[in-house]
């Protein structure tokens, strides 16, 4: 793991409980959303503290998508600002953890990944209808040293 520092648990109870379950099991399969697998991101927050968030598992050819949907709320989730400021983070999938770099997708590349995201978690399509903002999609690509 590359992200080090003081960990501050999420103020959102369900997020905190999912992170606790994943850490206790050492496996992201210990937590699901609507019977679907998640991955866990560990990032350096805007505050300088370590943050952890489980997100829907959307993987293709070894890269992952992070969808900043916040259920279709008018604003982005807090983790989005963290990732934009500090795009190198740790991603846990199952029992494996590796370092990835995030970048926000635009245009045709975003549309291609958006289709994958909706296929992995169909509620994303409904979330987009609830907000005027275009829901950001970030690709998380493994960093190889």
């Amino acid at each position: 793991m590359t992200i080090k520092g003081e960990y501050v648990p999420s103020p959102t109870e369900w997020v905190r409980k999912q992170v606790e379950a994943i850490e206790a099991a050492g496996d992201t399969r210990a937590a699901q959303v609507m019977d679907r697998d998640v991955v866990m991101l560990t990032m350096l927050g805007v505050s300088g503290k370590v943050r952890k968030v489980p997100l829907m598992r959307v993987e293709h050819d070894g890269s992952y998508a992070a969808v900043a949907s916040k259920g279709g709320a008018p604003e982005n989730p807090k983790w989005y600002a963290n990732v934009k400021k500090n795009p190198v983070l740790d991603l846990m999938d199952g029992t494996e953890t590796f370092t990835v770099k995030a970048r926000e997708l635009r245009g045709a590349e975003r549309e291609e990944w958006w289709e994958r995201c909706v296929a992995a978690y169909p509620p994303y399509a409904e979330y987009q209808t609830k907000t005027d903002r275009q829901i950001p999609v970030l690709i998380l690509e493994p960093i190889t040293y």
Side-chain angles (χ1 to χ4, degrees):
M1 293 186 67
T2 59
I3 308 302
K4 305 221 182 292
E6 180 187 347
Y7 169 59
V8 178
S10 173
T12 306
E13 184 179 8
W14 71 267
V15 172
R16 202 169 49 250
K17 287 185 180 293
Q18 282 195 333
V19 169
E20 289 168 1
I22 290 167
E23 290 185 326
D27 191 334
T28 58
R29 291 169 286 214
Q32 293 189 324
V33 174
M34 294 178 65
D35 296 324
R36 294 176 189 268
D37 289 337
V38 298
V39 296
M40 186 168 71
L41 303 183
T42 301
M43 66 198 74
L44 192 60
V46 172
S47 67
K49 308 287 187 199
V50 174
R51 303 290 185 162
K52 298 181 182 189
V53 63
L55 296 177
M56 298 308 301
R57 184 184 187 279
V58 182
E59 182 273 339
H60 180 75
D61 288 345
S63 293
Y64 294 77
V67 180
S69 68
K70 198 175 181 185
E75 71 282 345
N76 292 321
K78 293 201 185 306
W79 65 258
Y80 173 79
N82 295 337
V83 171
K84 292 294 283 185
K85 180 172 174 142
N86 300 300
V88 175
L89 49 143
D90 291 328
L91 183 147
M92 182 179 191
D93 183 10
T95 58
E96 290 188 61
T97 300
F98 44 95
T99 303
V100 295
K101 185 167 186 181
R103 68 179 168 86
E104 190 163 347
L105 299 177
R106 306 254 184 245
E109 188 179 26
R110 183 203 177 275
E111 293 310 310
E112 183 180 345
W113 272 93
W114 179 252
E115 289 177 20
R116 291 180 185 130
C117 295
V118 170
Y121 188 65
Y124 284 143
E126 179 190 344
Y127 296 168
Q128 184 60 76
T129 68
K130 294 179 177 183
T131 183
D132 291 334
R133 68 185 171 93
Q134 183 178 53
I135 293 175
V137 178
L138 297 97
I139 188 168
L140 309 173
E141 298 169 306
I143 295 175
T144 51
Y145 295 98

